[in-house]
Amino acid sequence: MTRPAGPAELAPPVPPAAGTGPLVQYALLAGPLLSMLDSSIVNVAVEPIARELHASLTVVQWTVSGYLLALGAGLAGTEFLARRFGTLPVYRVSVIAFTIASALCALAPGAGVLIGARILQGLVAAPLVPLAMSMLLGRMKGAGEVGGGARAISPAAGILLFLGPALGPTVGGALIGAAGWRGIFLINVPLGALAAVAVRYVPAAMAPGRRPGARFDLPGLILLAAGLTALLLGASQGASAGWTAPATWVPLASGAALTACYAGWAARRDQPALDLSLARQRIPALSMALCALASVVTWAAVFLLPVFVQSVQGRSALVAGLALAPQGLLTGLSTALAPRWLTGLTVRVTVLAGFAVLAVATLGLLLIAAATPLWLIAAILAGRSVAIGLVITPLLQALVQPLRPDQLGDANTLFNTWQRIAGSFGIGLVAALYATRARTLGPVAALHTAGLVLVAIAVAGALGALALPAVRNTAVAR
């Protein structure tokens, strides 16, 4: 049974060679990479910023929290902006605005100006990842086809997109050592300017266009932005203030209530700020949940091990960061290449195998002690990273397969929003468990306990993968 194609489905197919040029690849990767780097890179700069600007650590910490909260608010409006003005124009403006905001951060004369510039930077950074995903992955379906095959991510895309979160602290430490804390913002200016020029070479056919008649859902946008901001604030406070502290549970409860109010509001609107009906479909909802579990297992270890290596083994931040480089590289390569190698297997089998490998490899955390050599720690991380390619790309295929092409923009934004919230909660809880156990049993036992929890999460992901569809992985060469 067929149904009439919507306007987005009547777009001309992307030619096989479209989007393969290095400038196009750079244009669509630089924005997400810079925004993800800036989510974590400032963590290592809080102390030198406070010292130079004569501000307290509590005040300067808002350069981190303000960016995160603005990011949540910006995500709420991303899909409306894409519908109203078109994906490519909004992405271009976001890249330019992010570059300008980075320059303002670098030139800030005081803490107040820096915090304001960071809030602006987070707000304009919010659309970069979901809109780039819409162009890199969103054209997974052929014109007028529902359930089309997934395009494989290029190796460069996989490497850069997954290196960002892993190498943020390392890059930040190196830049601070070479040029001071302002260097972590100045580096964005030439890279962002080049990306702004490169966006001009992105084929219009790669990006969903504007939708005439798109309406602005102001009440829904306010509810969603406030809810996401409160949830992210509570999650960010959990690891530092404690999960039972009022500073944590008050914004969490408020955010949950506001988000629930938005869900009720959106269900009665034909053009809500963000379409949540996708989350009520079984396979997309399961795919997003499994992606969140994989992210927690992966990035919680990436968060904990540099802390362990520095505080327990006495190594520098740069050396600790170098241990993360092989796993970031292998994660990107496996994400890019696994779909091409595993086209004969089903999504269910591939994701199940990926979580099984992740669970077994995560047991390697139990081998780490105070005297463990750095090369073994790097090898354990690298072994875990191979599993990510077996999980993420097939799950993205399962996420988009039942959707119409005009639903992909909402799906990308919802996916990124969910990933940030679930990741913040999961990693924050694991970090809090590590801190609590370290105070009573010591850091080695605490790391082993956290490792066992991550293994349990990976096993839960493997069990959840049994409910995925038994459809074959597909990869379309770029």
Side-chain angles (χ1 to χ4, degrees), residues 167 170 309 317-328 374-375 377-379 381-382:
L167 295 186
T170 306
V309 167
L318 180 59
V319 170
L322 290 176
L324 302 177
Q327 67 92 30
L374 194 64
W375 67 264
I377 295 176
L381 285 171

Side-chain angles (χ1 to χ4, degrees), residues 305 308-309 313 315 319 323 364 367-381:
L305 280 176
F308 182 88
V309 167
Q313 296 190 335
R315 303 180 188 272
V319 170
L367 302 176
I368 298 176
T372 302
L374 194 64
W375 67 264
L376 181 56
I377 295 176
I380 291 171
L381 285 171

Side-chain angles (χ1 to χ4, degrees), residues 86-171:
T87 297
L88 193 55
V90 174
Y91 182 78
R92 181 186 299 114
V93 170
S94 296
V95 169
I96 295 171
F98 182 86
T99 305
I100 293 172
S102 297
L104 292 175
C105 290
L107 299 174
V113 175
L114 178 59
I115 292 170
R118 279 286 286 175
I119 291 173
L120 173 62
Q121 191 185 40
L123 194 64
V124 299
L128 293 175
V129 175
L131 295 187
M133 281 184 65
S134 293
M135 291 181 277
L136 283 168
L137 304 175
R139 302 295 288 185
M140 284 178 167
K141 301 172 182 289
E145 180 185 354
V146 177
R151 292 181 183 270
I153 310 175
S154 71
I159 293 169
L160 290 178
L161 289 175
F162 286 92
L163 269 177
L167 295 186
T170 306
V171 174

Side-chain angles (χ1 to χ4, degrees), residues 396-408:
L396 286 175
Q397 176 188 334
L399 171 68
V400 303
Q401 187 181 31
L403 305 181
R404 302 188 309 273
D406 59 305
Q407 293 179 300
L408 293 177

Side-chain angles (χ1 to χ4, degrees), residues 207-289:
R210 61 184 299 270
R211 299 184 198 173
R215 293 195 294 273
F216 183 45
D217 179 20
L218 180 59
L221 182 62
I222 292 174
L223 283 172
L224 182 59
L228 293 180
T229 301
L231 285 172
L232 289 171
L233 175 61
S236 68
Q237 293 291 324
S240 56
W243 291 95
T244 59
T248 300
W249 65 260
V250 169
L252 285 180
S254 302
L258 289 167
T259 304
C261 289
Y262 172 76
W265 169 268
R268 299 190 298 271
R269 301 281 296 182
D270 60 344
Q271 290 190 26
L274 180 62
D275 184 5
L276 300 182
S277 65
L278 307 176
R280 295 194 290 270
Q281 299 184 37
R282 187 177 71 87
I283 297 303
L286 177 60
S287 300
M288 287 193 292

Side-chain angles (χ1 to χ4, degrees), residues 15-16 30 32 46 90 105 107 127 155 191 193 221 229 300 307 310 373 375 390 393 415 418 466 468:
V46 170
V90 174
C105 290
L107 299 174
L191 296 177
L221 182 62
T229 301
V307 174
Q310 292 176 74
W375 67 264
L390 303 176
T393 306
F415 174 81
W418 168 247
L466 294 173
L468 289 169

